Structure formats: structure tokens, C-alpha cells
Amino acid sequence: QKSCAVEEVHMPSSCAACALSLFLSLATSSAASSDESSPLNWTQLPDLPEPLGFAGALSGGCDDKLVFAGGSNFPFPTWTSTKHFDDRVWTLGGDISWTWELSSVVLPAPTAYAACGSISGQVVCAGGQTPDGIINNTFAIPCDLTALRPLPSMPVPTAFASSAVLGGELWVLGGDTGTGPNATTNVWVLDAQLSQWRAGPPLPTARKLSLAVVHANSLYMMSGRRQDEGRKPEFLKDCWKLNDSAHVDSASLRTPRHSLQ
């Protein structure tokens, strides 16, 4: 029977997935060390000081803190108001108090739904969506929250992609380019040290809002959604292992789902 280690779990947005994993590890490490038989438990942390919250924020683990930037929401009256995109940068943590702090650094533009990953003391952010549409802008937020570091733009504008860091490189999988099909098979890989992009092997099927995760030095992509013109969205449940030359069909989720952007 096919199975996947993360089946039946609702995952957060592609940018926040790695950050959430990091902070779950931090929050549970002390309990696990004192009692190896103890199950993992959720620990509630302080709410973001923004009553409406945000979808599609840019985020990543950075030293001993979480960086949380941008995102979008609908001011009241919800769904009938103009969608708001944010440019602020917040941090959570830094000490045992788990305190949110607003940085003086702001994003180059109000942005949400970018591909993100933590690499060498910085959170790399690629693409995303602004009030003007889908973009290809790429930059890094340093952990010390000094000036943002510009990086080469993505080869094509992309939003709603999944992302993960493997071997010091940011992998950006699928997504929406804002032109043509609703989702793509594009795979782009950023070498942040060399500051250059290269194309990876195209995905077996087009998708956006999928989940990417690294386990045991391998990159996995699963689930997501796609939608052909004039048809209802198709929610996917396949799971793939990726490398530079091929895609290996690894497993399937029991039920289709997409990441929560």
C-alpha cells in the first residue's frame, strides 16, 4: 500500500512550512529530551499583533527567530473589500520570551505568495504577488535585519509555488505565472551563493499550492491543485521525489489537498 509520511496532515503555505517545522522542533525539544517516550505536543505561541492575520506571508527560520513578512488579507467587510498586501517585516523569538517585534526593514513592495527558504543566515524570497500582479523579484532578508540583499530575478514571474532548500539551493516548484495556464510545470533552482538561476526538470504535471519538503537529503513534492480553463479545480494527491535529472513517483496521499495559502 502506498503511503506518505505526511499523509492526512493539513500543511501551511509553502513559505511557512519550513519555518513551522523549525519552530515545532524548538518548542518540543526540551520535553522530548526529558522524556523520550513523550509524544509531540503543540505549544501555543503569541499571536501576531495583527487582528486580521495574513495569508501567503514570506517566512523562514533565521538563527533563533522566525522572520515573518508581507502577506495579504481582506479588511472588513471581508471578501467585499479590496485585497490588502503588506510590506512589513516581523520577527518572533530571539529569546525565551517569544516576543513579536516589528522591524524597521520593509519589503521592496507589498508582497504575498512568494517562494521562500532559509539559506546561510538569510531568508531568500522569490517571486510572489503584489497589488500590480505576479512578479519575479528575488531578494534575501538577512537574519540581522539589515538592508535587504537583492538577488537575480526569477526567469519568469511566479506565485503560489512550493519551495524548499536542498544543498544550499532554493528549489521553486510549479506555481502560477499569471499568463497562460492556471498552473505550470516549471522548476527553478537558485544558487544563492553564485547568485544564478537554473532550470530543473519540469514537474510531471502542472500544479500550484503544492507542498515541498526535504527529508534525508532528498526533495519531495506532493499534492496541490490545478485548473484547466472552464473546469473546476482539480485537487491532487500524488507525491514525487525529485532530483536534477528525474522525478520518481514516491507515493500518494490518501486524500487530495493543497497548501493553505
Side-chain angles (χ1 to χ4, degrees):
Q1 178 180 356
K2 290 183 176 181
S3 63
C4 199
V6 293
E7 65 186 12
E8 302 293 333
V9 178
H10 287 275
M11 290 295 178
S13 69
S14 54
C15 284
C18 292
L20 178 61
S21 175
L22 169 67
F23 277 78
L24 281 175
S25 298
L26 291 175
T28 59
S29 60
S30 59
S33 61
S34 61
D35 184 357
E36 293 298 331
S37 64
S38 297
L40 292 174
N41 294 300
W42 289 96
T43 299
Q44 184 170 2
L45 300 176
D47 290 347
L48 180 72
E50 169 57 57
L52 292 180
F54 292 104
L58 290 57
S59 62
C62 220
D63 291 340
D64 60 348
K65 56 182 174 287
L66 170 69
V67 172
F68 183 99
S72 68
N73 58 30
F74 284 91
F76 294 113
T78 307
W79 307 122
T80 60
S81 60
T82 301
K83 191 173 188 178
H84 165 73
F85 289 83
D86 208 78
D87 64 357
R88 291 175 292 176
V89 177
W90 299 82
T91 61
L92 173 64
D95 54 42
I96 60 174
S97 65
W98 295 104
T99 302
W100 284 101
E101 294 186 1
L102 180 62
S103 171
S104 60
V105 174
V106 296
L107 300 180
T111 305
Y113 313 113
C116 305
S118 301
I119 304 175
S120 302
Q122 56 191 354
V123 179
V124 177
C125 307
Q129 186 180 39
T130 73
D132 297 322
I134 294 176
I135 61 174
N136 64 349
N137 189 30
T138 306
F139 58 89
I141 306 173
C143 290
D144 59 8
L145 295 179
T146 54
L148 303 184
R149 174 191 170 199
L151 291 169
S153 296
M154 292 191 68
V156 295
T158 303
F160 307 106
S162 59
S163 58
V165 174
L166 178 65
E169 297 179 318
L170 178 68
W171 285 66
V172 181
L173 312 176
D176 190 339
T177 64
T179 60
N182 179 261
T184 73
T185 60
N186 294 341
V187 174
W188 301 108
V189 187
L190 173 65
D191 185 324
Q193 297 301 318
L194 297 179
S195 294
Q196 63 185 24
W197 288 93
R198 73 174 189 275
L203 299 178
T205 56
R207 69 192 63 215
K208 63 181 181 180
L209 297 169
S210 62
L211 174 71
V213 62
V214 171
H215 173 69
N217 295 318
S218 294
L219 177 60
Y220 295 85
M221 179 214 56
M222 60 206 76
S223 199
R225 60 176 281 185
R226 64 184 176 210
Q227 183 175 5
D228 295 328
E229 186 174 356
R231 302 185 64 180
K232 293 182 178 180
E234 179 184 0
F235 295 90
L236 308 171
K237 62 179 182 179
D238 50 342
C239 180
W240 298 83
K241 180 180 179 181
L242 290 82
N243 56 44
D244 264 331
S245 59
H247 301 268
V248 180
D249 189 3
S250 175
S252 293
L253 303 180
R254 290 179 180 174
T255 56
R257 35 184 107 246
H258 64 77
S259 65
L260 305 182
Q261 287 278 5

